[in-house]
Amino acid sequence: MKQFTYERAQSAADAAAAVARHRGAKFIAGGTNLLDLMKLEIETPTHLVDVNRLGLDRIEPTAEGGLRIGALVRNTDLASDDRVRRDYAVLSRALLAGASGQLRNAATTAGNLLQRTRCPYFYDTAQPCNKRVPGSGCGAIGGYSRQHAVVGSSDSCIATHPSDMAVAMRVLDANVETVRADGRTRVIPIADFHRLPGDTPHIETTLQGDELITAVTLPKPLGGKQSYRKVRDRASYAFALVSVAAVIGKDGAGRVAFGGVAHKPWRVEAAEAAMPRGAAAVTERAFAEARPTHDNAFKLPLATRTLTAVIQEARTA
């Protein structure tokens, strides 16, 4: 691990200002992903700004009837909140499907959104990776790619986003609230928060360098049957090969987002009109531009089968 300096921020604006002052600075809260990457010298921040004391750890109702989730709310607390379990069950289930209990106790809402890919070529500093070293190439393209993206990828990167929570946030149409060093705030729809790789896969979100996430807001409850189904190689502590977050009404209409298949949570709203006709009709449109590799082409029929199971569950509920 390379040497770095450290400070504790006293307010959100102070934290953003501290990152703006120090070239190469990073925010740190739970650190469940960042510290691992620092040990491997994949992340090499010169300065860490600790945001744990900013009071951003509350879940509060909004005037619109939804919930405002502070950026520092731990994954365990969010998953177990009575309001989340009752009105946003897809989010609670997605969180409980991720990592381990110990990690969920430390990981934060903002950190979960910002976690980096678990692509083995990204983690192996002896391999080329455009996400780690822009312009160095992509070892996964032409390499072993079973875990990688089948849609939304590019000639520069075929990595997937690892978050379960983000897939549920996408199907719920969450919004991300931020603040910058000069005090400016903005609200970013979750659909616009994560970027596709294009030719700049190292730029993973639409955040600016000094922009701190302060909260994530959920709209008023959608109702319907909410499900999160994750298919993985092990029953626990494994990332998704394919996951499905869905909200389905009694008439069969609904919303669906997929994880484990793209550089960001994958939702194609135009495909959701086909929900009453069945999973195959939805995935045909959702993955119309898929570019699977020989190793991961199985993800396309797996996505259809997983969504089929979710739809059947909703119909029998």
Side-chain angles (χ1 to χ4, degrees):
M1 183 181 290
K2 292 192 175 181
Q3 191 174 34
F4 60 90
T5 52
Y6 169 90
E7 70 176 283
R8 287 176 174 161
Q10 301 304 312
S11 72
D14 287 345
V19 166
R21 284 196 305 271
H22 294 84
R23 183 178 178 85
K26 292 273 188 180
F27 302 112
I28 187 167
T32 57
N33 188 205
L34 177 59
L35 290 176
D36 284 344
L37 295 174
M38 289 174 64
K39 292 173 185 177
L40 295 170
E41 296 189 3
I42 294 169
E43 291 274 13
T44 56
T46 59
H47 186 69
L48 290 182
V49 180
D50 189 331
V51 297
N52 280 296
R53 297 187 177 183
L54 303 188
L56 304 175
D57 57 355
R58 293 185 291 273
I59 304 171
E60 302 168 311
T62 66
E64 295 75 25
L67 286 180
R68 186 175 188 270
I69 302 161
L72 298 177
V73 172
R74 266 43 186 185
N75 287 176
T76 295
D77 295 332
L78 183 57
S80 62
D81 184 89
D82 289 341
R83 294 160 295 184
V84 174
R85 294 175 61 193
R86 181 187 65 237
D87 297 329
Y88 307 96
V90 64
L91 176 57
S92 180
R93 292 176 182 179
L95 286 161
L96 292 174
S100 66
Q102 289 173 314
L103 286 172
R104 290 194 296 269
N105 288 343
T108 63
T109 299
N112 196 312
L113 290 176
L114 295 172
Q115 62 180 303
R116 306 200 70 187
T117 185
R118 277 13 181 233
C119 171
Y121 295 92
F122 173 71
Y123 271 77
D124 185 350
T125 55
Q127 297 288 338
C129 175
N130 289 318
K131 186 179 286 295
R132 177 170 28 82
V133 183
S136 64
C138 176
I141 297 176
Y144 183 65
S145 55
R146 182 172 180 270
Q147 294 279 351
H148 290 77
V150 294
V151 70
S153 58
S154 72
D155 293 336
S156 296
C157 182
I158 59 172
T160 57
H161 195 276
S163 173
D164 294 291
M165 185 195 78
V167 183
M169 292 289 196
R170 179 67 183 91
V171 85
L172 292 170
D173 280 335
N175 288 302
V176 180
E177 298 181 358
T178 69
V179 65
R180 295 190 65 180
D182 59 5
R184 282 182 294 164
T185 62
R186 67 168 171 156
V187 177
I188 308 169
I190 192 71
D192 301 328
F193 183 77
H194 296 103
R195 291 166 46 104
L196 291 178
D199 58 3
T200 55
H202 59 293
I203 305 174
E204 298 174 340
T205 72
T206 56
L207 291 175
Q208 300 300 310
D210 65 342
E211 201 164 9
L212 173 68
I213 297 173
T214 55
V216 176
T217 56
L218 301 177
K220 64 182 181 181
L222 297 170
K225 173 67 176 179
Q226 298 188 17
S227 299
Y228 187 78
R229 185 171 290 239
K230 181 178 181 179
V231 183
R232 47 189 164 175
D233 288 326
R234 299 191 304 273
S236 65
Y237 202 64
F239 296 97
L241 293 169
V242 167
S243 65
V244 170
V247 180
I248 303 174
K250 291 182 179 179
D251 59 356
R255 303 177 177 188
V256 61
F258 298 90
V261 296
H263 200 255
K264 60 187 290 186
W266 192 253
R267 182 181 173 199
V268 178
E269 283 90 336
E272 295 170 351
M275 287 283 279
R277 303 205 308 272
V282 175
T283 55
E284 180 181 9
R285 189 157 188 182
F287 295 99
E289 298 180 3
R291 298 195 306 170
T293 69
H294 172 76
D295 293 328
N296 66 19
F298 73 92
K299 287 191 175 187
L300 296 174
L302 181 59
T304 301
R305 291 197 297 270
T306 306
L307 179 56
T308 297
V310 168
I311 292 173
Q312 289 174 344
E313 180 186 1
R315 287 174 177 170
T316 57

